Amino acid sequence: DAKTTQPTSMDCAEGRAANLPCNHSTISGNEYVYWYRQIHSQGPQYIIHGLKNNETNEMASLIITEDRKSSTLILPHATLRDTAVYYCIVRVGPRGSGAGSYQLTFGKGTKLSVIP
Amino acid sequence: DTGVSQDPRHKITKRGQNVTFRCDPISEHNRLYWYRQTLGQGPEFLTYFQNEAQLEKSRLLSDRFSAERPKGSFSTLEIQRTEQGDSAMYLCASAWYSQVDTQYFGPGTRLTVL
């Protein structure tokens, strides 16, 4: 699976949009971009994923560049409860029936602090 | 609650003792993963099951670690002869085998080895 690069930490004012970047310059055509977050002392929480197109759900938006070498997770109106470590993960899709474990390879992520 | 559950949430044990953790996945999910997370690091993959079959176990940290999923539902992770270096958060995740295979995590079991 391709490696990702994220800033170690970021601050965001409460109520403003939080834009979290991720570089994945070695991504291949069948690899998805996943975002998870981990609030202190909890298990990781799935946020969103995408392959080529931009995606939006009730939690966030994911913007993937046309060359797919980078992406940005957008939390449109950050709240204090969004303070967490955010992980960008690139992972290949299924290789065939029963093949591959599809485990997630976590880096150190970005520590987002939402400030009142 | 239909999420992933883990038991116990916290475990304190003495070095050399055996410990067992349980994970109950989301009921319709056929894939189950175990991860370990140490302080300041992201989760690290250990093993996974598809139904009752353990399809990947080479990442288990040593032969002291073993996992089972006997009926394709809940799973257990056992650590024998615990060492202080085993102190960590042990996380379980489940997923439905699909093109996307989105994994949903439980709250974790925090192990402290004295």
Side-chain angles (χ1 to χ4, degrees), chain A residues 32 34 36 38 41-46 49 87 91 93-108, chain B residues 9 31 33 35 37 40-43 45 48 50 55-56 59 89 91 97-107 110:
Chain A
Y32 290 79
Y34 286 81
Y36 280 77
Q38 190 171 23
S41 296
Q42 298 184 19
Q45 177 189 23
Y46 165 77
H49 73 277
Y87 297 100
R91 193 194 69 179
R95 301 182 184 95
S97 177
S101 63
Y102 318 131
Q103 71 266 22
L104 298 169
T105 302
F106 290 82
K108 292 190 175 182
Chain B
R9 295 291 308 278
R31 296 172 75 97
Y33 299 78
Y35 292 81
Q37 186 173 26
Q41 304 296 317
F45 169 75
Y48 94 108
Q50 182 159 311
L55 298 185
E56 173 62 68
R59 303 283 190 91
M89 175 78 85
L91 294 158
Y97 178 72
S98 68
Q99 183 69 21
V100 175
D101 194 50
T102 300
Q103 297 179 27
Y104 296 89
F105 284 79
R110 180 164 296 283

Side-chain angles (χ1 to χ4, degrees), chain B residues 2-72:
Chain B
T2 57
V4 178
S5 62
Q6 293 187 244
D7 184 70
R9 295 291 308 278
H10 303 273
K11 178 70 176 179
I12 299 173
T13 191
K14 293 182 178 179
R15 189 174 51 188
Q17 297 295 304
N18 299 343
V19 294
T20 300
F21 310 139
R22 176 180 171 123
C23 171
D24 286 271
I26 294 171
S27 59
E28 64 268 25
H29 283 180
N30 55 4
R31 296 172 75 97
L32 187 148
Y33 299 78
W34 284 98
Y35 292 81
R36 184 182 82 152
Q37 186 173 26
T38 55
L39 199 61
Q41 304 296 317
E44 173 189 15
F45 169 75
L46 295 178
T47 188
Y48 94 108
F49 294 84
Q50 182 159 311
N51 301 311
E52 66 276 8
Q54 189 174 13
L55 298 185
E56 173 62 68
K57 56 182 179 180
S58 65
R59 303 283 190 91
L60 286 168
L61 300 165
S62 77
D63 58 7
R64 298 184 297 105
F65 287 71
S66 63
E68 294 184 342
R69 195 184 182 196
K71 296 183 180 179

Side-chain angles (χ1 to χ4, degrees), chain A residues 37-79:
Chain A
R37 73 180 183 183
Q38 190 171 23
I39 296 169
H40 182 63
S41 296
Q42 298 184 19
Q45 177 189 23
Y46 165 77
I47 301 174
I48 199 167
H49 73 277
L51 183 61
K52 296 180 182 178
N53 301 318
N54 298 337
E55 302 288 344
T56 295
N57 63 20
E58 64 278 4
M59 289 183 68
S61 295
L62 174 60
I63 308 298
I64 302 174
T65 58
E66 191 169 346
D67 63 8
R68 303 209 322 124
K69 292 185 177 181
S70 65
S71 60
T72 301
L73 178 75
I74 301 172
L75 308 179
H77 305 286
T79 71

